[in-house]
Amino acid sequence: MIDFFKDFILNIFLIFSPLVVYPYLYKFQSHSMKYRLWLCFFFTVAIGFAMSIPVNLNGLVYDFRSIPLIVGSLYGGIYVSMFLYAAIIVVRYLLGNPNNLIYCVSFIPTIIFIILLLKRYSQMRLAHKMISAVIVCVAVKIVSFLIYLTSIGKLELFTANLISSSQTYILQSVVIAVYIYLIEFQQKYIHMQEDAVHGEKMRIVSEMAASVAHEIRNPLTAVRGFIQLMGVPHLAPSKLQFYQQISLEELERAQVIISDYLAIAKPEPEKDELILMKDEVQYISQVLLTIANYNDVKIEVILQDEQMFIQGDRNKLRQSLINIGKNAIEAMSKSGGVLEIGLKEQTDKIMITIRDNGIGMTKEQISRLGTPYFSTKEKGTGLGTMVSFSLIRAMKGKIHITSEVGKGTEFEISFPAVPRGL
């Protein structure tokens, strides 16, 4: 009995070996020829091992060749089935077993069982698949034995060890049922992974779409405001020209934003230029002015006289700072307030501060700021802030946020300073 269990466990390990690689094979299913070839290979190996190491149960020598034969046929189709039947004949011949022609004939009816089951197998439920596989596996064994033993005139061998034969059939039924269950479980798990990947891709696409819409809205809002200002009667030509210039620059920024998102799919070299921060802060304050006026917010700009430079992408800097400033204005939209934009140099850093006296944030809100779909605004997505933070960090910038509920928020953004004259 100990020898039986040793041989049985070894057989189980060998015939279940295709399960180890099946998840990888299943991914080739769309390439049917490659999928079938691999199934033929691995299940042929399993059949060869099963036939080479039979088990001895109460004097009855028995192997599990029919299990990889049936499983490989059900999941590979008729061509794989024919190949595996041929593999059994070849392995049997190589092992020196007699009456190979008669053995081939005894297998012909069992091929019909496989063909009939294959027509409906893929549409069955799991329980029905397991039961059908058990029935076919037992039928293949019994029918092939009966035809083979009748042909060689030794039919009495079929009933000589009836109890032991019944035990082997029961054991075989349990093994193939477990086999089918494991394969179906693997397929279900693979489909769940594919659905998860597809869902993640769709989520990313929706986030990207929402983020692009959010970022484009900022320059378009500014353009709309300046177009309205250009309609004011008796507007000075210098102001008209100034409004036109900013409107065109904001439209250009919108185009750059679109290009930035397209660059995610097709990366391009980053634009690196020397940026005079004093000019940028003045530009940003002018862009935010129309939004501030609409929300009854006053903008105060605090600048130092020194020329301060950083290295980076001008359009990305504008995009990120305007978005942060716009959010600060909207945080004061209910009662109005003051938005302070400051610029100073501290040791080897250029510091930009954007301070409001709006609703403020809690520590938990600050920790989540810049993550997708978190926003303190009722209809906000949080994606604009996330993109802004990413752009700042891409230019080696650092962000420090301090806030108090009911008193306001301060963004302190620092960039490495570029020495003057470089």
Side-chain angles (χ1 to χ4, degrees):
M1 186 60 70
I2 294 176
D3 292 337
F4 164 74
F5 279 113
K6 288 181 179 179
D7 292 339
F8 172 72
I9 292 172
L10 181 59
N11 264 265
I12 293 298
F13 175 77
L14 294 173
I15 64 174
F16 274 80
S17 58
L19 278 177
V20 178
V21 295
Y22 187 75
Y24 304 98
L25 302 184
Y26 190 68
K27 295 177 181 179
F28 292 124
Q29 199 172 31
S30 57
H31 308 285
S32 57
M33 181 60 69
K34 185 182 293 186
Y35 173 71
R36 289 171 182 169
L37 288 174
W38 280 114
L39 284 183
C40 288
F41 173 77
F42 284 106
F43 280 102
T44 297
V45 172
I47 287 172
F49 280 128
M51 294 177 67
S52 302
I53 310 173
V55 296
N56 190 316
L57 182 61
N58 298 327
L60 180 65
V61 179
Y62 180 82
D63 64 63
F64 292 95
R65 73 185 73 174
S66 58
I67 294 176
L69 168 66
I70 301 301
V71 174
S73 299
L74 293 177
Y75 290 92
I78 186 62
Y79 296 110
V80 175
S81 179
M82 298 297 293
F83 186 90
L84 296 180
Y85 270 107
I88 288 177
I89 303 300
V90 172
V91 173
R92 192 176 187 277
Y93 173 79
L94 294 175
L95 292 174
N97 293 313
N99 307 314
N100 286 295
L101 182 59
I102 297 174
Y103 189 79
C104 290
V105 175
S106 69
F107 256 20
I108 293 175
T110 65
I111 297 176
I112 299 173
F113 296 158
I114 298 293
I115 294 173
L116 292 175
L117 181 57
L118 277 173
K119 292 181 178 180
R120 299 182 179 179
Y121 186 77
S122 61
Q123 307 300 322
M124 292 180 178
R125 295 180 179 177
L126 175 59
H128 294 163
K129 286 183 177 181
M130 294 169 66
I131 294 170
S132 300
V134 168
I135 294 173
V136 170
C137 194
V138 172
V140 165
K141 206 74 174 177
I142 292 176
V143 171
S144 59
F145 271 175
L146 284 174
I147 295 175
Y148 178 76
L149 293 175
T150 301
S151 301
I152 63 174
K154 294 183 180 181
L155 186 60
E156 67 277 2
L157 294 177
F158 183 78
T159 56
N161 295 307
L162 195 58
I163 295 177
S164 296
S165 297
S166 300
Q167 291 175 342
T168 61
Y169 293 146
I170 293 171
L171 189 60
Q172 176 180 269
S173 300
V174 172
V175 172
I176 195 169
V178 172
Y179 210 128
I180 297 297
Y181 176 82
L182 292 176
I183 283 187
E184 291 293 320
F185 177 81
Q186 286 185 331
Q187 287 188 357
K188 184 178 180 180
Y189 180 74
I190 292 168
H191 288 311
M192 288 174 62
Q193 283 186 316
E194 291 175 347
D195 290 342
V197 170
H198 178 71
E200 179 66 15
K201 288 180 178 178
M202 293 303 296
R203 184 186 68 81
I204 292 172
V205 169
S206 65
E207 285 185 2
M208 290 294 294
S211 182
V212 170
H214 179 81
E215 292 299 310
I216 292 296
R217 190 180 292 116
N218 288 343
L220 292 184
T221 302
V223 171
R224 180 183 178 184
F226 283 111
I227 290 175
Q228 290 174 341
L229 290 175
M230 282 187 281
V232 175
H234 310 297
L235 185 66
S238 59
K239 282 193 174 182
L240 178 61
Q241 184 178 2
F242 177 69
Y243 293 158
Q244 287 177 337
Q245 179 184 351
I246 293 184
S247 296
L248 290 172
E249 288 181 358
E250 285 301 292
L251 289 174
E252 178 67 23
R253 190 165 69 86
Q255 183 176 351
V256 170
I257 291 170
I258 295 172
S259 299
D260 285 340
Y261 281 96
L262 292 176
I264 294 174
K266 187 178 180 181
E268 295 178 357
E270 292 286 335
K271 187 177 180 181
D272 197 17
E273 56 188 319
L274 195 63
I275 304 172
L276 179 58
M277 292 303 297
K278 186 177 180 179
D279 290 349
E280 293 307 307
V281 169
Q282 289 175 336
Y283 176 87
I284 290 162
S285 65
Q286 288 295 326
V287 172
L288 291 173
L289 185 59
T290 55
I291 306 172
N293 290 337
Y294 180 79
N295 290 278
D296 195 25
V297 171
K298 182 181 178 182
I299 296 180
E300 293 182 357
V301 180
I302 304 171
L303 298 174
Q304 292 181 350
D305 293 333
E306 293 85 357
Q307 300 284 73
M308 293 173 254
F309 296 91
I310 70 168
Q311 200 79 21
D313 190 314
R314 187 188 309 276
N315 289 307
K316 288 184 178 180
L317 177 68
R318 290 179 177 180
Q319 177 183 343
S320 55
L321 295 182
I322 288 173
N323 185 74
I324 293 172
K326 178 175 175 289
N327 288 339
I329 292 171
E330 291 174 350
M332 301 180 286
S333 60
K334 292 183 179 180
S335 58
V338 178
L339 176 68
E340 293 182 10
I341 303 176
L343 176 66
K344 63 181 178 179
E345 186 172 6
Q346 192 174 62
T347 61
D348 58 346
K349 295 180 181 179
I350 304 298
M351 312 290 293
I352 304 169
T353 57
I354 300 176
R355 184 185 300 111
D356 67 71
N357 55 1
I359 58 175
M361 293 183 289
T362 64
K363 290 183 178 180
E364 192 270 339
Q365 288 175 321
I366 293 173
S367 66
R368 294 181 61 190
L369 202 63
T371 59
Y373 288 110
F374 173 77
S375 176
T376 56
K377 296 182 288 187
E378 292 182 1
K379 296 183 179 180
T381 63
L383 295 172
T385 305
M386 180 190 70
V387 171
S388 297
F389 284 12
S390 298
L391 295 178
I392 290 170
R393 294 187 182 109
M395 291 187 287
K396 301 179 181 179
K398 295 182 179 179
I399 306 165
H400 179 69
I401 306 169
T402 55
S403 184
E404 187 174 347
V405 176
K407 292 188 176 181
T409 303
E410 178 181 282
F411 286 82
E412 189 177 72
I413 304 161
S414 62
F415 294 97
V418 176
R420 297 175 183 85
L422 293 184

